[in-house]
Structures are given as C-alpha cells and as structure tokens.
Amino acid sequence: MPLKLENKVLQLNDKTFEIFIRKEKIQAEIASLAARLEQDYAGKEIVFIAVLNGAFMFAADLMKSFRAPCEITFVKVSSYQGMHSSGRVDEVIGLTTSVKDKHVVILEDIVDTGITMEKLFTLLSVEKPASLEIATLLFKPEAFKGTHTPTYIGFSIPDKFVVGYGLDYDELGRNTEHIYQLKG
Ligand code: IMP
C-alpha cells in the first residue's frame, strides 16, 4: 500500500499509529535548537556526531538551520529490536574522525531508557573531547534510567512508542515528515 505523507493514520505491519507531532512543529523546534546551539557555541567549532539510523532526518534538518562552521560525522549503535529495548548495546561503528580536544554534540532521534546514550557517552569520553553534550529530538523522561540527561531536547514525550521522521517500527516508517504514536 502506498504511504501517503499527509495521512493521519499510519499502518505498519500489525500496528496502527496516529499523527502525534506535525512536520511544521518539528521544523520550528529544530530551528530553535539550532539557534540555541549557535548561541551556546559562539566562537567554538562543533563536531556533531549523529547516531544512525534514526537520527538521519533530524541531523539533516538541524544542519540546514545551523549556520556556524561545524563538522558532522555519523556513527551506528545497535541496541534495539522491535518495540522493546533489549538493554544491550553493540559496538559503535564508524567513528573515524578524532574528537580529542573538540566540542562534540551527539545527535540522537530519541532517548528512551538512555542505555544507548550512556554507552556512547562513555566511549566518547575516553577520546577526551573538550566538551561533550547530547542533543535529542525526542526524550521519554518516564523511561529514562541514565545519568546523562540530554542538554538539548526537542520534545519530551510520554513513554509510548513513536515512529516516523527517521524512527522505525521493525525498520518501517522512517520515511515520513510527521511523527506518529502507537494507537490505543
Ligand atoms: P535507549 O537506549 O532505550 O535510550 O533507546 C535508544 C534507541 O532505541 C533509539 O535510538 C531508537 O532507535 C530506539 N527507540 C527507543 N524508543 C523508540 C520509539 O518509541 N520508537 C522507535 N524507536 C525507539
């Protein structure tokens, strides 16, 4: 079935999702995150590290709004299968640039339990960056068990499964402009 981007309801395999955060709201929030980052890092160069796959849309749109000189690189961390966090984090793949003495901002699509971020934070701290902060589009405070609360949060949302705008359900649903929430 073709996927209509303006659909209020999204059917992915056995699950039905309803529209939750519209594209206009997402774009406005990203523009204000970019402005905050520009201000906070004025005179400093940021190395953004975007976490694939989920953060690809967030990273791309943030980069389009962020006007100061910066670097961006992409890593992959696998810790999630289906709808429940497995609580396991595999290795970080793809960090080829040195982050030593650099101002690093990790870009995540969503921080849920915080396990992925905790692991990534520890692994990157070893590289001795000048500073290390987390920017996430979505944050689930009720599910969070980590110690590093993201400094930059787009939307704090209830502990309910969401898809779209980069986020998937069994690898489906990443290709939408809105964010959808599991129905019921
Ligand atoms: P955490 O380690 O529990 O914080 O989970 C982080 C990862 O789990 C994210 O990068 C997502 O890939 C995935 N994840 C967590 N919650 C959701 C959700 O509601 N929808 C889709 N993916 C999610």
Side-chain angles (χ1 to χ4, degrees), residues 20-149:
F20 179 51
I21 310 175
R22 297 194 68 88
K23 63 179 179 184
E24 296 81 5
K25 219 173 151 188
I26 298 171
Q27 295 304 329
E29 187 55 39
I30 291 175
S32 92
L33 281 176
R36 263 184 72 196
L37 283 158
E38 278 174 26
Q39 205 170 23
D40 292 356
Y41 289 85
K44 296 172 188 159
E45 251 176 44
I46 301 180
V47 178
F48 289 103
I49 298 185
V51 185
L52 294 172
N53 293 334
F56 77 98
M57 281 211 194
F58 172 45
D61 284 337
L62 186 79
M63 287 303 93
K64 286 183 253 175
S65 294
F66 187 83
R67 285 156 305 177
C70 67
E71 289 179 41
I72 181 161
T73 189
F74 297 84
V75 296
K76 211 162 179 178
V77 181
S78 170
S79 73
Y80 218 77
Q81 260 132 31
M83 294 185 56
H84 301 283
S85 179
S86 63
R88 188 197 76 236
V89 177
D90 296 332
E91 58 180 329
V92 178
I93 309 159
L95 188 66
T96 48
T97 25
S98 165
V99 297
K100 191 172 183 324
D101 300 328
K102 296 195 175 158
H103 295 284
V104 174
V105 176
I106 301 170
L107 299 180
E108 255 290 20
D109 51 345
I110 186 164
V111 174
D112 183 13
T113 63
I115 291 168
T116 312
M117 201 39 67
E118 204 68 29
K119 182 84 178 180
L120 193 54
F121 202 95
T122 308
L123 288 165
L124 291 174
S125 300
V126 173
E127 307 287 320
K128 301 257 182 296
S131 65
L132 184 56
E133 304 293 338
I134 301 158
T136 185
L137 181 63
L138 303 170
F139 180 53
K140 290 182 179 170
E142 297 153 23
F144 187 66
K145 297 188 187 84
T147 50
H148 299 103
T149 306

